[in-house]
Amino acid sequence: MGIQFKDVSYAYRGLKVNYDAISHVNLSIEPKGEFIAIVGQTGSGKSTLVQHMNALLLPSFGNVLVFGQNLPPKKKEKINFLRQKVGLVFQFPEYQLFEETIIKDIMFGPKNFKSTESEALEKAKKAASIVGIDASLYEQSPFRISGGQMRRVAVAGILAMEPEILVLDEPTRGLDPKGRRDLMAIFKEIHEKEDKTIILISHDMDLVSEYARRVIVLDEGKVVFDGKKEDLFEHSEFSKFHLDLPTPLKIIKYLSEETGIPYKPLYDFESLSTYLKEVSHE
Ligand SMILES: Nc1ncnc2c1ncn2[C@@H]1O[C@H](COP(=O)(O)OP(=O)(O)OP(=O)(O)O)[C@@H](O)[C@H]1O
Ligand SMILES: [Mg+2]
């Protein structure tokens, strides 16, 4: 098992009202091959949940197990080991860039996890090439590149640690449509080539429906749905999740009601357009 939550609750300390940001969460996530989206309204506990996956937060109640290891482990080295295994890309990760050069920034993680200088450099170069950061940029300051490139450098910094599971907290937020597509293509390739489990937090239902197979819905800190995306979007009580339908599904629903085209659940624009071409030739 990759990641397991057993009845996990977490309350931020120091709040006047002491309520659980996540509450009685049970989850099992495979170490390989999953593409999971975590969705829910703002404040529903998504970021709090994923920070438990590499011991940035520890449960107030319940247990988290990562690769069979109970958190927190007794020895500090073991926490480092887990942070290497589960790579977490934060919301707006570019705020955490800080080194003088791009390549140093990407090397920071592997060096911190005991790689030698030359190993770290190799890992950083490999990660930079995966995210499409050209070697000509290595010696530049990470603060003199575009927002989209900064985001890629930050992602490369996590990939350089060669994590087994990749957790992405709204990785495309604030990017333009092309930047969004390009970054998602990178994650998709990592998932397909290396069969890595990817956990993606997103408010963008179009991305969720195109990329994820499994969706976890949070509402006020509770898991209210955990299953196949097909079962979520076709759920008879979908409206109770307070989520938007993905655009391709909205279009096909509208067309089937207005024109009588048979309804077919389609989760991305490519399959929608293929289907519409098919029916228009019939
Ligand atoms: N550092 C903190 N201290 C106190 N309360 C916090 C802290 N971080 C989050 N919270 C509260 O915990 C709850 C869950 O927040 P969380 O950031 O996990 O939600 P989220 O689903 O990630 O939201 P968003 O979609 O806006 O990123 C919210 O009520 C939030 O106000
Ligand atoms: Mg969040």
Side-chain angles (χ1 to χ4, degrees):
M1 191 49 63
I3 301 175
Q4 254 179 314
F5 280 57
K6 293 184 182 169
D7 202 20
V8 174
S9 298
Y10 183 82
Y12 286 98
R13 274 188 225 155
L15 286 181
K16 280 184 199 140
V17 190
N18 215 2
Y19 69 98
D20 289 342
I22 57 170
S23 171
H24 300 288
V25 171
N26 288 292
L27 282 180
S28 282
I29 293 172
E30 296 294 334
K32 271 199 166 301
E34 292 214 75
F35 204 127
I36 304 175
I38 301 181
V39 304
Q41 289 178 307
T42 183
S44 58
K46 303 179 295 298
S47 297
T48 305
L49 178 80
V50 299
Q51 286 175 65
H52 283 78
M53 295 180 177
N54 70 356
L56 283 175
L57 295 176
L58 297 169
S60 314
F61 185 84
N63 284 84
V64 177
L65 282 117
V66 180
F67 290 95
Q69 170 76 59
N70 229 319
L71 297 185
K74 298 219 165 53
K75 289 193 177 145
K76 195 172 160 265
E77 304 92 73
K78 287 207 169 150
I79 283 220
N80 281 343
F81 176 71
L82 289 176
R83 296 215 169 124
Q84 183 270 317
K85 284 213 164 219
V86 181
L88 176 58
V89 178
F90 286 98
Q91 277 178 347
F92 298 109
E94 55 275 25
Y95 294 155
Q96 286 161 7
L97 300 174
F98 70 100
E99 289 278 10
E100 287 156 37
T101 68
I102 286 174
I103 197 71
K104 276 192 188 162
D105 218 302
I106 305 177
M107 286 166 68
F108 179 79
K111 272 173 75 178
N112 211 20
F113 291 126
K114 301 208 165 73
S115 285
T116 64
E117 186 82 16
S118 66
E119 281 165 359
L121 181 62
E122 277 319 299
K123 289 178 182 177
K125 283 181 176 172
K126 191 172 153 212
S129 105
I130 292 173
V131 301
I133 291 290
D134 192 78
S136 62
L137 291 172
Y138 287 175
E139 298 304 323
Q140 289 204 23
S141 158
F143 303 104
R144 298 226 178 117
I145 50 178
S146 73
Q149 282 174 320
M150 282 167 92
R151 184 77 53 97
R152 284 162 186 246
V153 171
V155 170
I158 300 294
L159 292 180
M161 295 188 268
E162 301 177 334
E164 303 212 2
I165 295 182
L166 195 56
V167 184
L168 308 160
D169 195 346
E170 299 201 52
T172 59
R173 186 153 164 180
L175 299 181
D176 63 17
K178 183 171 181 316
R180 257 199 316 264
R181 271 198 307 277
D182 291 351
L183 198 57
M184 284 310 299
I186 292 166
F187 298 137
K188 187 176 177 196
E189 189 171 327
I190 293 170
H191 172 68
E192 285 176 354
K193 260 197 187 159
E194 303 176 36
D195 203 29
K196 269 196 209 305
T197 285
I198 294 202
I199 301 168
L200 166 79
I201 294 182
S202 183
H203 283 278
D204 185 332
M205 285 302 137
D206 290 1
L207 291 187
V208 170
S209 77
E210 181 170 352
Y211 293 98
R213 280 191 298 277
R214 170 178 168 194
V215 185
I216 295 168
V217 184
L218 285 183
D219 188 21
E220 295 185 348
K222 295 196 174 62
V223 174
V224 291
F225 179 92
D226 179 1
K228 286 190 200 152
K229 75 166 164 225
E230 290 81 358
D231 295 338
L232 173 68
F233 293 126
E234 298 298 315
H235 201 286
S236 56
E237 290 179 282
F238 181 75
S239 62
K240 78 174 181 192
F241 299 123
H242 313 292
L243 300 169
D244 217 12
L245 271 180
T247 316
L249 270 185
K250 275 189 199 156
I251 294 176
I252 192 72
K253 276 205 163 136
Y254 176 81
L255 289 178
S256 79
E257 278 158 23
E258 293 294 315
T259 70
I261 290 177
Y263 175 77
K264 187 175 174 188
L266 297 165
Y267 298 101
D268 59 84
F269 287 98
E270 211 178 304
S271 18
L272 174 67
S273 97
T274 311
Y275 179 62
L276 291 180
K277 278 179 204 148
E278 249 169 59
V279 292
S280 67
H281 286 120
E282 273 171 11

